[in-house]
């Protein structure tokens, strides 16, 4: 059985963009792969130095994935910070990567281009991510296109390690890009925490509805025929509804007599039908941090059965054993 692995950076309450773009596809993959999904808390530490939000963001993410259907008996769910071998392999990779490769990293390069002085964690971010991946004999990494450079660097450094110290020392990961599902936020730009245009996955029904009603639309009158394609309401509806339902909405808009308010109501109902049933589950999971800790600790024990073997092979190969 092949292994699928992905990291989730805890940066605030997960939103519908995360749900449709990352959580749902990763949970579908977990059906046919051995899956390891982890909370990349030390990646978040490159930018979050607030202990309070760090603590709660990690629980928000864990409870969200569990409420959305992650089965911890089947998927190994853990925190990156619980796996000491990750940091050892990061150092080994740091010594195999050219500094120039890390200098070309998007996040680091952008920060420099904006005249910021990024911390060395931003610089080393891709090495840490490569260690996350390679440590677990992972075959595929389901990620969005924005992570392409990072995965390529992981493949590169894994290949180099094998080349220098023995073929087969580590597994070179493949990449699996998610169909870059465009999930717009209420203002039409990509749904993102930084644009503050997002709707949380487990907002109350009332908040969900008011979030949907805030979506910016055209100003055609009720009777006017409307073009669905390219509008935020319709894009979001496509991401949640079946193709037949989406087609039906496009036809109704085109015909006229069906307003943007109606379309938003239909979008709200589709979101509510999908997320509403898990809302209470989320609240119960999120309220019991000790139970979440137990799930994450159990995941770390199982994850380390793999990581300890890999790091042992690597240590021997490089002459540190
Ligand atoms: N960098 C990823 C992001 O920002 C998170 C991440 C960390 C990750 N380690 C990973 C993703 C390993 C895939 C595999 O979303």
């Amino acid at each position: 059985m092949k292994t699928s692995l992905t990291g989730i950076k805890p940066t605030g309450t997960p939103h519908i963009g995360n749900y449709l773009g990352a959580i749902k596809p990763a949970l579908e993959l977990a059906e046919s792969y051995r899956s390891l999904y982890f909370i990349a808390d030390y990646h978040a530490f490159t930018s979050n130095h607030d202990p309070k939000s760090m603590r709660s963001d990690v629980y928000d993410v864990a409870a969200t994935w569990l409420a959305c259907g992650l089965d911890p008996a089947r998927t190994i769910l853990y925190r990156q910070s619980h796996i000491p071998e990750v940091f050892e392999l990061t150092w080994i990779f740091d010594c195999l990567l050219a500094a120039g490769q890390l200098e070309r990293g998007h996040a680091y390069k952008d920060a420099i281009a904006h005249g910021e002085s990024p911390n060395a964690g931003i610089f080393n971010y891709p090495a840490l991510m490569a260690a996350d991946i390679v440590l677990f004999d992972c075959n595929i990494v389901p990620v969005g296109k924005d992570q392409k450079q990072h995965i390529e660097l992981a493949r590169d450094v894994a290949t180099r390690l094998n080349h220098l110290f023995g073929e087969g020392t580590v597994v070179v990961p493949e990449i699996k890009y998610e169909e870059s599902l465009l999930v717009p936020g209420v203002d039409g730009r990509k749904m993102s925490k930084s644009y503050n245009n997002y709707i949380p996955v487990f907002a109350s029904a009332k908040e969900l509805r008011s979030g949907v009603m805030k979506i910016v639309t055209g100003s055609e009158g009720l009777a006017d025929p409307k073009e669905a394609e390219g509008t935020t309401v319709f894009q979001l509806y496509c991401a949640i509804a079946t193709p037949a339902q989406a087609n039906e909405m496009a036809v109704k808009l085109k015909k006229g007599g069906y307003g943007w308010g109606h379309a938003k109501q239909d979008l709200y109902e589709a979101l509510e039908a999908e997320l509403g049933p898990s809302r209470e589950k989320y609240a119960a999971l999120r309220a019991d941090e000790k139970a979440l800790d137990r799930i994450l600790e159990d995941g770390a024990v199982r994850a380390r059965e793999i990581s300890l073997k890999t790091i042992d092979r690597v240590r021997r190969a490089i002459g540190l054993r």
Side-chain angles (χ1 to χ4, degrees):
M1 199 175 199
K2 288 200 167 191
T3 297
S4 141
L5 169 144
T6 199
I8 311 138
K9 199 156 86 169
T11 47
T13 313
H15 54 64
I16 284 171
N18 302 133
Y19 174 74
L20 295 169
I23 302 178
K24 213 175 158 184
L27 292 178
E28 275 160 19
L29 270 183
E31 311 259 314
S32 40
Y33 286 82
R34 173 173 78 157
S35 49
L36 290 105
Y37 296 156
F38 69 94
I39 302 172
D41 44 10
Y42 267 124
H43 274 114
F45 189 63
T46 56
S47 55
N48 181 356
H49 292 170
D50 171 13
K52 243 178 100 182
S53 85
M54 178 67 87
R55 218 170 278 130
S56 73
D57 287 354
V58 168
Y59 290 123
D60 287 352
V61 166
T64 299
W65 281 67
L66 289 162
C68 289
L70 184 145
D71 173 4
R74 172 188 255 179
T75 293
I76 303 180
L77 178 70
Y78 59 98
R79 297 175 74 138
Q80 178 187 42
S81 59
H82 285 174
I83 315 292
E85 298 75 37
V86 167
F87 309 97
E88 185 172 345
L89 189 59
T90 301
W91 179 253
I92 295 168
F93 283 172
D94 267 330
C95 297
L96 296 176
L97 287 161
Q101 265 179 298
L102 294 175
E103 272 162 13
R104 286 190 293 278
H106 292 318
Y108 179 76
K109 233 173 80 179
D110 288 353
I112 296 290
H114 286 95
E116 295 161 19
S117 22
N119 61 48
I122 303 275
F123 183 76
N124 280 300
Y125 189 111
L128 177 57
M129 183 158 157
D132 288 332
I133 295 169
V134 174
L135 200 50
F136 293 97
D137 302 339
C138 148
N139 305 104
I140 71 151
V141 189
V143 281
K145 288 234 164 40
D146 61 320
Q147 299 295 313
K148 180 169 188 251
Q149 192 191 40
H150 292 148
I151 311 287
E152 274 163 7
L153 184 132
R155 284 174 57 79
D156 189 70
V157 74
T159 306
R160 195 174 312 163
L161 188 143
N162 282 342
H163 179 69
L164 290 171
F165 301 103
E167 291 308 324
T169 306
V170 294
V171 175
V172 178
E174 294 158 34
I175 318 174
K176 181 181 188 314
Y177 297 117
E178 281 316 322
E179 282 302 316
S180 47
L181 188 63
L182 182 72
V183 184
V186 297
D187 61 356
R189 291 184 291 174
K190 180 183 173 197
M191 191 180 289
S192 157
K193 197 175 179 229
S194 42
Y195 295 150
N196 198 24
N197 62 355
Y198 64 97
I199 306 173
V201 181
F202 292 119
S204 69
K206 218 176 130 202
E207 285 160 343
L208 179 61
R209 188 161 188 284
S210 76
V212 169
M213 292 303 155
K214 277 196 204 110
I215 295 172
V216 176
T217 62
S219 52
E220 304 97 314
L222 178 65
D224 298 336
K226 302 165 193 73
E227 180 57 54
E229 220 48 61
T231 67
T232 305
V233 177
F234 187 64
Q235 269 172 5
L236 278 166
Y237 193 68
C238 288
I240 192 96
T242 64
Q245 289 170 320
N247 187 47
E248 199 185 318
M249 177 180 280
V251 169
K252 282 198 263 183
L253 284 165
K254 187 149 234 127
K255 242 174 95 191
Y258 176 82
W260 288 117
H262 295 125
K264 288 190 203 180
Q265 179 64 25
D266 285 342
L267 170 61
Y268 158 70
E269 282 170 18
L271 287 166
E272 178 61 22
E274 175 132 346
L275 299 169
S278 311
R279 195 178 287 128
E280 273 173 38
K281 208 167 136 202
Y282 173 78
L285 285 158
R286 184 63 187 84
D288 192 348
E289 294 183 351
K290 288 221 168 63
L292 292 173
D293 281 336
R294 279 195 296 277
I295 290 171
L296 293 167
E297 279 157 22
D298 173 65
V301 170
R302 285 148 66 209
R304 289 192 78 200
E305 284 171 16
I306 308 167
S307 63
L308 283 165
K309 286 193 194 122
T310 310
I311 203 73
D312 186 61
R313 283 199 311 275
V314 173
R315 286 185 194 134
R316 283 172 198 277
I318 67 175
L320 278 166
R321 233 308 146 38

